[in-house]
Amino acid sequence: MLSYREDPKLIEEKVSQVYILLKELCQVDDFPAIRCNSRRALGTMWQVANHLEIKFEQLYEHHV
């Protein structure tokens, strides 16, 4: 099982990867379900990334 206390860098790396992938999926134009649900998930991952001080940006450009 993953543990932030044991390996914070690994967890931060995984959060960053998920965050980047969700931002990419928000750009899908021809499949509304992917685009809309990715935006919702990105909002949640933004909270995690922001809390871990990995990434802070305004998500309005992704329509979140």
Side-chain angles (χ1 to χ4, degrees), residues 4 12 45-56:
Y4 186 78
E12 291 172 3
M45 285 308 298
W46 177 88
Q47 293 290 337
V48 175
N50 187 38
H51 181 76
L52 294 174
E53 298 179 355
I54 295 171
K55 185 78 169 176
F56 178 80

Side-chain angles (χ1 to χ4, degrees), residues 24-60:
E24 292 173 4
L25 288 172
C26 285
Q27 304 301 317
V28 174
D29 288 332
D30 59 347
F31 204 124
I34 291 173
R35 183 180 62 243
C36 293
N37 288 312
S38 295
R39 288 176 181 171
R40 289 180 184 177
L42 181 61
T44 301
M45 285 308 298
W46 177 88
Q47 293 290 337
V48 175
N50 187 38
H51 181 76
L52 294 174
E53 298 179 355
I54 295 171
K55 185 78 169 176
F56 178 80
E57 62 185 346
Q58 299 301 323
L59 294 179
Y60 60 84

Side-chain angles (χ1 to χ4, degrees), residues 5-18:
R5 290 181 189 176
E6 291 177 14
D7 197 352
K9 293 294 181 190
L10 176 64
I11 301 298
E12 291 172 3
E13 182 180 311
K14 289 183 179 293
V15 168
S16 182
Q17 291 171 349
V18 171

